[in-house]
Amino acid sequence: MTGRAADRDASAVSPRARRALRRFLTNPLALVGTVVLGVVTCCALAPDVVAPHDPEWVAYVGTGDGRLTLAQSRSLPHPPAFGDPFFAPLGTTASGHGVFTELVYGARTALLVGLAAALLSSLVGVPLGLCSGYYGGWVDEAIQRVVDVLYGVPFLPFVIVLVAIRGASTTTVVLAIAATSWLNNCVVVRGTTLSLVRRTYVDAARAAGLPAHRIVARHVLPDVLPVAAVLLVQDAATAILAHATLAYLGLADVTTASWGVLLQQVQATGHVFDAPWWLLPPGLAIASLVAAFYYVGHAVEDVTGAD
Amino acid sequence: MLLDIDSLTVRYRPSAGGADPDPVRALDDVSLRVERGETYGLLGESGSGKTTLARALVGLLDDAGGVVRGRAWLDAVPPAWANPDGTPRAAVVADDASPVRADGATDLLALPDGHLRDLRWAEIALVPQRAMGALDPAYTVGAQIREAVRRHDSDADAGRRARDALDRLGLGATRAGDRPHELSGGERQRAVLAMALACDPALIVADEPTTGLDAVTRDRILDDIASLDAAVLLVSHDLAALAETATRLAVLHDGRVVETGPTEAVLGEPTNPHTAALRDAWRLGGGAWD
Amino acid sequence: MVRVTRVGAAYLVRRLAVAYATLLVVMTLLFVLLRAMPGSFVSAMTTPGMTTAQLARLEAAWGVHDPLWVQYGRFLLNYQTGQFGWSPTMHAPVADVLARRLPRTLVLFGAALLACYVVGPLVGMVLGWYRDARGGTLALAVSLFVYATPVFWVAWLLVWLFDHRLGWLPSANMVTQFPAFAPAPLPVALDFLRHLALPLLSVAAVGWVGAALLVRPAMRDAMRADYVDLARAKGLRERTVLFKHAGRNALVPVTTSAAIALAFLVDGAVVTETVFSWPGMGRLIVTAVLDRDYPLAQAAFFLVAVVVVVVRLCLDVVYTYLDPRISLGGRDE
């Protein structure tokens, strides 16, 4: 492609979209959020590059090794410990794993849970919301009654019961989270669609006999998509938090590395008050990633005017 | 002399990233004088700067309202700077930096925010545009009037004064307990006027008070305005309304006063082509000044 | 002038119908989940030492050999009449266990709700009012970060600070186990409040943001409203304009979207009860599930759903009082 063609391509992007992109990039919240998401994504994609050790690595503690005398082994620091004798940058956990390494390997689970649950709830909630808002009448009534009823189901207790019955696999957790978070998507998308459908030009398009899918694609989707995007990142944030909470309650898959499980182990081994190097980073990691999603969501809201 | 606006200029700051970097001149060297008790008409089409003028007087320009220059003398002293008899304190007048003149006039444009708040509604009441939505839906009409009275005067007779004010505008004191959504458009407009009267201001600035009302209601509101004791600066694009009520008239066009004088003279012998065009359009519609 | 009753009877009936339907769905959900479990439904209620005769009695009592729809009907009937069965781990009727636990959760939950809904909207008003100011973005960023922290983690930090380091507040249980003080009403109440402080603080420390984020955008709309303009023109002080006029009107969406905040509070209560060994419903659900005491877990879950439904019903009614323009089921709808 020649330079001229590239220029033309760039100018083909509508000025509205370009302005939105510029406003997004100059938004401080968006900047912070994007950077954090980028870092976490790097960790998730290539943990072996970022982490100083592989996940099986355990700090040498001198136990279980007959060549050391008892006195020698006593003189060695015992995990959990903070400091660099084991070359673990953030210290070690009770089982001798590096906290930093565990953090890096936990990024993948967090991102996976967040995105999978968010995508799933969007896939269910957005189409239903569109139908509900566009067709109105009994379709709307039926969908909204279902939503109304399901809103009354308490989320965490429901997930706890579900996970207890189905087993604590990550898939179950994702399904359980998505099963409740699509409700909000449906309600908000319905509201947006409803306000769009009431506009004169949509009325005119309907009167002209345009098929529904064309009207939705031309007049409704462009305004619904930003709203759906905001909901998507918010759902991802909620899902990550919910997963961490379930892990704390002992209802997450302990065999995969995750920040929630890392925190749960702090408590399970009784080190909540004496191992801050172990307690603080996973919590901060969860908060940072969740906040990053919130920030991006707010920035998108700001840029597109979707509230 | 109640209000003496002396070469008021307002420039709006251009919006960030806007195409036009030059500040927009909303008002350019505007001067006009309002006497006590008179109804003064300010005629201008939308965009002529008449709302900017009304809001600049009480310091309620939007954040984008950038540079304000000139003077607007109001014959009143902020209570914090006044003697019990209403004259300004000697120390305040002696201070060169203070915006109060020895004769008891205060420059509204130079007044610090807190003192301006004390004068708002008590001496100069702005009835903003779209008064239909100007009543807070959460409170009864009476509560909103009492709130204004309590802010500037005593607590004791706030209820009575609120009812009196509503009475004077023919709303009936019983409406004090109604919430705004229970009133019709005309009733709301009158409720806002009643609210303006409740504190006995010397000047009421009414911004487009008749817009969006039906003809009968509009006439009632105009009658009400004409019968007020307070001076009224009536800001409107409605030439007929001003011709009926105003004793004097200023015509605002593109931020400048293009014509000023007694209503009769301005409409009878317009010197400015713009005014003439407006007048002719009005006459074509069957209007006549008598 | 005819006064319309704020909450119309028709509206109330409709809301009640939705509430009842919700509970039916919850019960059906439980029933379906129950059948989906491996093994007999009764096996969850057995202990290894039971004889075959005992097992048979149990199976007969629950009617596992009846057709499914009969079982479903009996299940619905039992749940609606408070017959929740027997808890194998607590060795007591489930209903008794729940009756003891529910008030404790309600105290914690109610206090947290109150705290969040007093602090949150106020902060939200201020955040919305100054959203374009220099510090506005930073304040929003901090609030969102707080909202992003896991409640149990915040609870640990608070316990570490107030109990471990400072020793000011107890961090476990609802009352002192072997009190040194006399069992007079005042010391007992004080002791209870001291135990309530940390769990409450944990939920509220994160929970207020939910309400604040609901008020913030509503505040922007209110700020542009003409009545705020008039309030300023009346010479009211900025604080009065902010809270009394703009803020009061920005409160309306808080109740309409309270379902979200409510869900957060329920979740928060479950987690904090676990952290602080607060003997309420939330902890009960978790321990019952972990101990495989299904009758207890199901009934507890059901009861939490009842609480949520009732609170939502109440919020709906509050909403009609906050927004005088709406008289639900009345003439405006």
Side-chain angles (χ1 to χ4, degrees):
Chain A
M1 188 188 283
T2 66
R4 288 179 72 90
D7 280 355
R8 213 177 308 132
D9 269 7
S11 61
V13 180
S14 77
R16 188 179 151 199
R18 250 186 308 166
R19 217 172 26 244
L21 188 68
R22 195 169 57 224
R23 281 184 57 194
F24 183 81
L25 291 178
T26 51
N27 186 317
L29 283 186
L31 195 69
V32 174
T34 314
V35 168
V36 172
L37 284 181
V39 170
V40 175
T41 310
C42 285
C43 293
L45 289 179
D48 46 334
V49 178
V50 184
H53 306 289
D54 60 83
E56 279 76 39
W57 178 88
V58 174
Y60 176 68
V61 293
T63 50
D65 191 328
R67 280 170 299 174
L68 287 174
T69 64
L70 192 61
Q72 280 174 318
S73 124
R74 280 232 181 98
S75 70
L76 284 164
H78 285 261
F82 187 69
D84 69 347
F86 313 116
F87 305 105
L90 286 174
T92 53
T93 68
S95 52
H97 294 285
V99 170
F100 185 66
T101 307
E102 296 261 313
L103 268 189
V104 172
Y105 277 90
R108 181 177 291 175
T109 313
L111 219 50
L112 211 65
V113 166
L115 292 181
L119 279 176
L120 213 57
S121 50
S122 291
L123 282 179
V124 178
V126 172
L128 281 179
L130 274 175
C131 287
S132 194
Y134 186 81
Y135 289 110
W138 67 268
V139 178
D140 182 36
E141 191 67 20
I143 295 177
Q144 289 317 306
R145 284 298 81 78
V146 171
V147 168
D148 245 13
V149 164
L150 287 183
Y151 252 135
V153 180
F155 167 65
L156 199 55
F158 166 70
V159 178
I160 291 170
V161 172
L162 192 69
V163 167
I165 289 166
R166 300 232 338 144
S169 77
T170 307
T171 319
T172 311
V173 173
V174 167
L175 282 177
I177 294 170
T180 45
S181 63
W182 70 271
L183 296 172
N184 196 33
N185 294 17
C186 183
V187 170
V188 176
V189 168
R190 170 185 178 264
T192 312
T193 310
L194 211 58
S195 72
L196 290 168
V197 166
R198 283 188 187 143
R199 290 188 190 165
T200 346
Y201 57 80
V202 177
D203 253 7
R206 273 179 155 175
L210 243 64
H213 65 90
R214 293 258 318 264
I215 300 177
V216 169
R218 284 271 289 277
H219 298 300
V220 179
L221 267 188
D223 281 329
V224 165
L225 280 182
V227 177
V230 172
L231 290 170
L232 186 85
V233 286
Q234 280 175 358
D235 285 344
T238 324
I240 293 166
L241 267 182
H243 181 251
T245 303
L246 287 172
Y248 159 73
L249 295 173
L251 294 166
D253 184 2
V254 285
T255 55
T256 46
S258 85
W259 297 337
V261 171
L262 195 57
L263 278 177
Q264 192 254 333
Q265 285 167 353
V266 182
Q267 196 215 18
T269 53
H271 287 291
V272 172
F273 302 123
D274 55 14
W277 66 89
W278 183 11
L279 176 73
L280 294 180
L284 287 176
I286 293 168
S288 306
L289 181 59
V290 172
F293 275 117
Y294 284 153
Y295 290 172
V296 169
H298 263 267
V300 172
E301 230 171 54
D302 246 20
V303 168
T304 59
D307 257 326
Chain B
M1 187 73 55
L2 176 63
L3 177 72
D4 180 3
I5 301 177
D6 182 14
S7 48
L8 172 64
T9 300
V10 176
R11 289 197 193 88
Y12 278 114
R13 249 181 249 118
S15 59
D20 186 9
D22 288 330
V24 184
R25 201 168 278 213
L27 283 178
D28 194 4
D29 204 20
V30 169
S31 301
L32 52 90
R33 293 166 170 208
V34 181
E35 300 290 345
R36 272 191 189 276
E38 78 169 326
T39 301
Y40 193 101
L42 185 63
L43 177 69
E45 56 217 350
S46 34
S48 62
K50 55 190 195 311
T51 296
T52 303
L53 177 89
R55 301 183 67 91
L57 288 181
V58 288
L60 277 178
L61 287 178
D62 298 335
D63 295 339
V67 191
V68 181
R69 268 204 223 115
R71 306 241 165 203
W73 299 102
L74 182 74
D75 191 15
V77 183
W81 287 346
N83 294 317
D85 62 350
T87 55
R89 287 188 194 156
V92 175
V93 177
D95 181 3
D96 281 344
S98 99
V100 180
R101 277 195 322 221
D103 64 353
T106 304
D107 182 9
L108 295 171
L109 305 180
L111 207 53
D113 198 48
H115 293 292
L116 188 56
R117 271 172 207 274
D118 289 345
L119 278 187
R120 275 186 209 156
W121 219 258
E123 294 296 339
I124 174 170
L126 170 72
V127 177
Q129 228 168 6
R130 300 182 305 265
M132 314 279 282
L135 292 167
D136 190 326
Y139 302 96
T140 62
V141 174
Q144 293 183 60
I145 300 180
R146 288 196 297 274
E147 181 186 33
V149 177
R150 289 211 182 96
R151 164 69 179 90
H152 297 289
D153 296 313
S154 67
D155 270 11
D157 53 350
R160 186 185 50 77
R161 279 170 65 178
R163 282 193 300 275
D164 284 356
L166 284 171
D167 243 1
R168 247 156 83 196
L169 283 159
L171 264 179
T174 48
R175 304 309 294 270
D178 282 354
R179 283 169 202 275
H181 72 278
E182 291 166 321
L183 304 181
S184 70
E187 285 173 331
R188 278 182 226 177
Q189 186 69 59
R190 271 183 280 152
V192 174
L193 275 176
M195 198 183 293
L197 288 182
C199 288
D200 261 333
L203 175 66
I204 294 175
V205 183
D207 193 358
E208 300 279 10
T210 55
T211 310
L213 298 179
D214 62 85
V216 178
T217 317
R218 171 184 164 280
D219 287 347
R220 277 215 59 173
I221 299 276
L222 288 177
D223 284 349
D224 290 339
I225 287 175
S227 68
L228 295 180
D229 302 331
V232 179
L233 179 59
L234 185 58
V235 179
S236 181
H237 66 267
D238 182 356
L239 183 54
L242 295 181
E244 283 168 36
T245 45
T247 47
R248 289 194 299 152
L249 207 58
V251 182
L252 205 58
H253 181 59
D254 264 353
R256 290 164 191 272
V257 173
V258 291
E259 196 141 14
T260 169
T263 311
E264 187 177 347
V266 170
L267 294 182
E269 291 294 327
T271 54
N272 183 282
H274 178 72
T275 319
L278 276 178
R279 194 262 323 256
D280 293 344
W282 165 58
R283 278 199 177 149
L284 225 68
W289 180 78
D290 46 21
Chain C
M1 169 95 232
V2 183
R3 288 274 167 189
V4 187
T5 320
R6 290 301 259 303
V7 183
Y11 174 75
L12 207 61
V13 167
R14 216 179 70 206
R15 291 303 312 172
L16 280 172
V18 169
Y20 183 66
T22 307
L23 295 179
L24 278 182
V25 166
V26 169
M27 282 187 278
T28 310
L29 211 64
L30 280 173
F31 186 77
V32 171
L33 288 177
L34 226 62
R35 308 293 128 170
M37 278 191 328
S40 158
F41 149 65
V42 172
S43 66
M45 284 175 235
T46 56
T47 46
M50 276 179 155
T51 63
T52 21
Q54 282 174 319
L55 272 179
R57 255 211 315 281
L58 204 57
E59 286 188 351
W62 279 92
V64 280
H65 302 300
D66 293 337
L68 212 56
W69 65 269
V70 175
Q71 293 187 33
Y72 179 59
R74 188 182 297 128
F75 180 81
L76 289 188
L77 195 70
N78 280 343
Y79 259 57
Q80 288 174 57
T81 50
Q83 310 288 314
F84 297 123
W86 179 269
S87 159
T89 57
M90 298 281 177
H91 305 292
V94 169
D96 290 1
V97 178
L98 294 183
R100 223 171 31 244
R101 294 286 188 122
L102 185 63
R104 302 167 178 172
T105 288
L106 288 183
V107 168
L108 178 58
F109 182 83
L113 192 74
L114 202 68
C116 291
Y117 271 74
V118 169
V119 177
L122 286 177
V123 177
M125 287 173 198
V126 176
L127 280 181
W129 196 251
Y130 297 108
R131 69 183 277 149
D132 295 324
R134 194 175 294 264
T137 309
L138 185 68
L140 175 66
V142 171
S143 312
L144 284 174
F145 190 83
V146 169
Y147 203 45
T149 50
V151 173
F152 64 93
W153 186 71
V154 173
W156 282 343
L157 297 186
L158 289 173
V159 170
W160 175 80
L161 179 66
F162 287 106
D163 188 18
H164 214 72
R165 297 287 303 186
L166 302 171
W168 289 354
L169 293 165
S171 63
N173 301 319
M174 201 172 67
V175 287
T176 307
Q177 295 297 316
F178 305 102
F181 49 82
L186 187 66
V188 170
L190 277 180
D191 181 55
F192 173 74
L193 286 179
R194 269 165 49 84
H195 281 83
L196 180 66
L198 272 182
L200 176 62
L201 200 60
S202 305
V203 185
V206 181
W208 63 267
V209 186
L213 289 179
L214 289 175
V215 171
R216 189 173 165 270
M219 199 66 183
R220 184 185 52 184
D221 296 343
M223 278 168 73
R224 291 181 190 148
D226 293 330
Y227 54 78
V228 164
D229 215 34
L230 185 73
R232 283 218 179 92
K234 283 199 306 200
L236 300 180
R237 292 189 174 81
E238 201 67 3
R239 203 166 2 113
T240 316
V241 180
L242 196 174
F243 290 113
K244 191 175 168 190
H245 291 283
R248 170 67 176 70
N249 283 284
L251 276 185
V252 173
V254 179
T255 43
T256 46
S257 16
I260 305 159
L262 194 62
F264 174 88
L265 279 175
V266 172
D267 299 356
V270 170
V271 174
T272 30
E273 282 184 10
T274 313
V275 174
F276 292 98
S277 319
W278 188 268
M281 300 288 298
R283 179 149 164 269
L284 187 70
I285 291 179
V286 177
T287 50
V289 163
L290 291 178
D291 295 344
R292 309 207 155 266
D293 184 346
Y294 291 117
L296 190 56
Q298 290 152 15
F301 172 61
F302 174 70
L303 205 58
V304 172
V306 171
V307 171
V308 170
V309 164
V310 169
V311 173
R312 284 191 65 201
L313 205 62
C314 296
L315 283 173
D316 271 344
V317 176
V318 169
Y319 172 55
T320 63
Y321 281 92
L322 273 182
D323 190 352
R325 282 164 293 190
I326 291 185
S327 52
L328 293 163
R331 55 172 184 177
D332 283 357
E333 206 187 32

